[in-house]
C-alpha cells in the first residue's frame, strides 16, 4: 500500500523557470547550454536541441558505459587489455598504442579522459562488447534509457561519420549521468600525467581541457574537434556547493571556445545559487518491517537535493511529499523504494529517489518459529 506524507519545509526557496538568456553570452558558438548539474535546471541555451556533429564529446557516453561495467564487476581498473590492430590503427587523437600492446584499464581511461584518445576508446569498446559495432549498440541502448531525442551515435569516438550526431541538451544529460560516477573526476581533473611510466617509452599526457588548470573549481569534463563539429567543449565546475555544466559546440577557434565556456560559467556563478534542502543520505522516514531481520528501516535520500534560484529573486515556501510502495524482502542497501516530491502548491518542482539505508534479510523459518513459540509461552504466563 502506498504511503504519502506531506509537511511544510522549514527552508525558504525559489526555483526559476527555464529561460533562454536575453544576451548572447557565447556569440562564437553554434550551440550551447548551461545547466545546474544537480537539478538539471537550464540556465542558458542556444539552439540546445539542434542535431549537430559533436566530435569527441561522444566519448562521454563511452566513458559512462565503461564506468558502469567497472561498477558491476565485469571490468576492473587493473585488468590488462591488449590493443587490436583495429584500435591501434584508428587514427585521430591517440596515445599511439601498438597492435598487441597491453595497457591497464585505468591507464586507458586516463588516455580517453585527458588526451581524448581514439585508440584507447576503441580498445575498451572491443573489450566490453567484442566489437566496436556491438559497443555502439550499447551506447544507443543507453541513449534510449536516458530518453535522448536528438542523438544517434555510429562510432564510440566522435569521428565524423554520416548520421552521427547529438545536441547540446542531450549531451548535458549524458554528462550529468557520467558525473554521478564520481570516479570520473579522478581522471578529468588532472592537468598532466604519464603513461608507460616504467618503460623506455614514457608518454606525457596534458589535458586537452585547459580550464581544469586555469578556471576556479573546474574538474572536467571533455573537449573535441572535427572538421564538421569544429571546436567543442563540455566543462563542469563547482563553487560554494553549486556545480554547473557548460557545453559549447561549433566554435571556429579553440581559444575562443575556452573563453566563451568560461564566460558561460561566469554567467551562471554570478547570477545563480543553490539552496540545499537535504544532504545525501538524509533520513526522510522510517517504515516498519514485517518478518525481517530489523524491525524498522530508515528511508534516506539517494543524492543531495537542492533547488536553484537567482541570487536577487524573492523566496517562496515549498512542501514535500513522500511516497513509497510495499517493500519486498530481501532488500539490498541502496535499492530505490520511494520518491520525494518537492511541491510549489500543486506544481511539481522536482522528484528524487529515496533508498534503503541498509540490507534487510528475511527471517528464517527457524527464527519465526522461535518467535511464535515465545509469544505462546508469554501468553500462557499472562493467563
Amino acid at each position: 500500500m502506498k504511503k504519502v506524507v506531506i509537511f511544510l519545509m522549514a527552508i525558504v526557496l525559489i526555483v526559476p523557470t527555464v529561460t533562454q538568456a536575453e544576451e548572447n553570452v557565447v556569440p562564437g558558438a553554434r550551440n550551447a547550454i548551461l545547466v545546474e548539474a544537480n537539478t538539471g535546471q537550464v540556465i542558458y541555451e542556444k539552439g540546445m536541441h539542434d542535431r549537430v556533429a559533436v566530435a569527441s564529446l561522444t566519448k562521454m557516453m563511452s566513458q559512462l558505459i565503461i564506468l558502469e561495467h567497472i561498477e558491476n564487476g565485469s571490468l576492473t581498473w587493473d585488468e590488462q587489455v591488449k590493443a587490436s590492430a583495429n584500435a591501434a590503427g584508428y587514427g585521430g587523437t591517440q596515445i599511439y598504442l601498438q597492435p598487441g600492446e597491453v595497457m591497464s584499464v585505468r591507464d586507458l581511461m586516463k588516455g580517453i579522459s585527458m588526451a581524448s584518445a581514439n585508440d584507447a576508446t576503441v580498445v575498451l569498446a572491443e573489450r566490453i562488447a567484442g566489437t566496436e559495432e556491438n559497443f555502439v549498440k550499447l551506447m544507443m541502448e543507453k541513449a534510449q534509457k536516458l530518453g535522448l531525442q536528438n542523438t544517434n551515435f555510429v562510432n564510440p569516438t566522435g569521428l565524423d561519420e554520416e548520421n552521427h550526431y547529438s545536441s547540446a541538451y542531450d549531451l548535458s544529460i549524458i554528462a550529468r549521468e557520467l558525473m554521478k560516477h564520481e570516479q570520473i573526476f579522478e581522471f578529468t581533473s588532472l592537468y598532466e600525467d604519464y603513461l608507460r611510466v616504467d618503460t623506455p617509452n614514457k608518454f606525457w599526457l596534458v589535458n586537452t581541457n585547459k580550464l581544469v588548470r586555469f578556471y576556479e573549481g573546474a574538474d572536467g569534463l571533455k573537449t573535441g574537434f572535427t572538421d564538421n563539429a569544429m571546436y567543442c567543449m563540455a566543462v563542469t565546475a563547482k563553487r560554494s556547493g553549486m556545480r554547473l555544466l557548460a557545453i559549447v559546440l561549433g566554435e571556429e577557434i579553440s581559444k575562443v571556445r575556452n573563453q566563451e565556456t568560461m564566460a558561460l560559467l561566469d554567467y551562471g556563478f554570478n547570477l545563480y545559487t543553490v539552496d540545499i534542502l537535504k544532504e545525501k543520505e538524509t533520513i526522510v522516514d522510517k517504515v516498519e518491517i514485517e518478518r525481517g531481520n530489523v524491525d524498522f528501516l530508515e528511508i534516506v535520500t539517494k543524492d543531495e537535493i537542492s533547488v536553484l534560484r537567482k541570487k536577487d529573486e524573492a523566496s517562496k515556501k515549498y512542501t514535500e511529499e513522500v511516497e513509497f510502495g510495499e517493500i519486498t524482502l530481501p532488500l539490498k542497501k541502496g535499492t530505490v523504494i520511494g520518491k520525494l516530491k518537492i511541491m510549489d502548491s500543486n506544481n511539481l518542482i522536482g522528484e528524487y529517489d529515496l533508498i534503503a539505508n541498509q540490507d534487510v534479510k528475511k527471517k528464517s523459518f527457524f527464527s519465526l518459529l522461535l518467535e511464535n513459540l515465545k509469544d505462546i509461552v508469554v501468553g500462557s504466563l499472562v493467563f
Side-chain angles (χ1 to χ4, degrees):
M1 182 178 295
K2 189 170 287 186
K3 175 181 178 182
V4 179
V5 181
I6 303 177
F7 55 93
L8 192 65
M9 289 174 13
I11 300 176
V12 183
L13 306 164
I14 189 164
V15 179
T17 56
V18 176
T19 60
Q20 179 170 353
E22 295 178 0
E23 57 190 298
N24 192 354
V25 181
V26 286
R30 179 171 53 196
N31 312 91
I33 192 170
L34 176 68
V35 302
E36 197 282 312
N38 186 45
T39 62
Q41 181 79 38
V42 178
I43 297 172
Y44 177 96
E45 65 94 6
K46 181 179 180 181
M48 67 178 180
H49 295 303
D50 294 349
R51 294 180 174 183
V52 294
V54 295
S56 285
L57 271 61
T58 300
K59 292 187 178 82
M60 293 191 295
M61 180 66 92
S62 298
Q63 291 169 305
L64 174 58
I65 293 172
I66 293 164
L67 286 171
E68 288 181 341
H69 278 74
I70 288 170
E71 291 177 9
N72 70 25
S74 61
L75 189 67
T76 67
W77 288 115
D78 295 327
E79 181 179 336
Q80 302 293 311
V81 185
K82 183 183 293 187
S84 68
N86 174 56
Y90 206 81
T93 53
Q94 54 189 299
I95 53 174
Y96 303 100
L97 291 166
Q98 299 300 308
E101 182 177 358
V102 173
M103 187 172 285
S104 71
V105 171
R106 184 179 300 279
D107 280 351
L108 290 166
M109 180 64 98
K110 197 183 296 181
I112 298 169
S113 303
M114 297 180 66
S116 198
N118 293 331
D119 49 1
T121 305
V122 175
V123 166
L124 288 179
E126 291 175 339
R127 161 60 184 84
I128 288 170
T131 66
E132 186 181 349
E133 292 75 16
N134 286 340
F135 188 81
V136 172
K137 290 179 183 177
L138 295 181
M139 296 171 72
M140 291 311 300
E141 287 172 7
K142 189 66 179 180
Q144 186 174 12
K145 289 179 182 177
L146 293 175
L148 306 187
Q149 300 296 311
N150 295 295
T151 293
N152 190 71
F153 294 137
V154 298
N155 65 61
T157 63
L159 288 180
D160 288 334
E161 282 195 59
E162 186 178 354
N163 213 33
H164 186 103
Y165 59 80
S166 189
S167 68
Y169 181 76
D170 282 7
L171 288 172
S172 75
I173 294 175
I174 296 170
R176 289 180 59 224
E177 191 71 18
L178 176 61
M179 289 188 289
K180 291 178 182 178
H181 304 268
E182 295 183 359
Q183 198 159 11
I184 191 62
F185 295 114
E186 175 185 329
F187 305 96
T188 62
S189 63
L190 292 174
Y191 181 70
E192 59 180 346
D193 207 337
Y194 292 90
L195 298 176
R196 306 181 181 95
V197 175
D198 299 321
T199 75
N201 302 314
K202 188 175 181 180
F203 188 80
W204 184 36
L205 288 176
V206 178
N207 202 324
T208 56
N209 178 9
K210 308 307 179 190
L211 271 63
V212 298
R213 182 174 182 180
F214 298 111
Y215 189 84
E216 179 189 348
D219 52 7
L221 198 58
K222 196 74 198 68
T223 65
F225 171 82
T226 64
D227 290 339
N228 289 345
M230 297 189 286
Y231 290 98
C232 304
M233 192 173 225
V235 178
T236 182
K238 187 173 184 179
R239 295 182 187 174
S240 303
M242 180 170 71
R243 178 174 288 282
L244 296 181
L245 170 69
I247 295 175
V248 298
L249 305 174
E251 295 273 11
E252 293 185 356
I253 303 169
S254 62
K255 185 176 180 181
V256 174
R257 173 196 65 182
N258 295 351
Q259 291 171 343
E260 292 199 349
T261 304
M262 289 189 288
L264 196 52
L265 289 166
D266 285 343
Y267 179 87
F269 284 122
N270 288 338
L271 296 182
Y272 289 84
T273 188
V274 292
D275 294 295
I276 298 174
L277 279 65
K278 296 186 184 297
E279 301 285 353
K280 184 177 181 179
E281 297 184 356
T282 297
I283 298 172
V284 172
D285 206 345
K286 290 184 178 181
V287 293
E288 187 173 359
I289 302 296
E290 294 183 4
R291 299 188 175 185
N293 63 328
V294 297
D295 294 327
F296 291 90
L297 173 68
E298 293 176 342
I299 311 299
V300 302
T301 54
K302 181 180 179 182
D303 301 299
E304 176 187 281
I305 298 174
S306 59
V307 176
L308 180 72
R309 66 174 174 86
K310 278 190 171 181
K311 290 180 178 179
D312 62 354
E313 284 187 331
S315 56
K316 295 173 68 174
K317 292 181 179 179
Y318 290 87
T319 57
E320 296 179 355
E321 184 177 304
V322 179
E323 61 181 44
F324 45 88
E326 197 168 319
I327 295 172
T328 303
L329 301 182
L331 184 69
K332 289 190 67 175
K333 180 179 180 180
T335 300
V336 176
I337 56 176
K339 297 287 184 182
L340 173 64
K341 296 181 179 181
I342 306 299
M343 311 290 294
D344 173 15
S345 299
N346 293 323
N347 298 319
L348 178 66
I349 301 303
E351 186 171 290
Y352 307 90
D353 289 335
L354 298 175
I355 61 174
N357 75 335
Q358 66 181 100
D359 293 335
V360 182
K361 299 177 181 179
K362 278 184 177 180
K363 284 184 178 177
S364 66
F365 174 78
F366 184 68
S367 296
L368 291 171
L369 180 62
L370 285 178
E371 286 186 4
N372 289 334
L373 289 173
K374 181 179 178 182
D375 290 340
I376 292 171
V377 171
V378 171
S380 63
L381 290 175
V382 170
F383 292 102

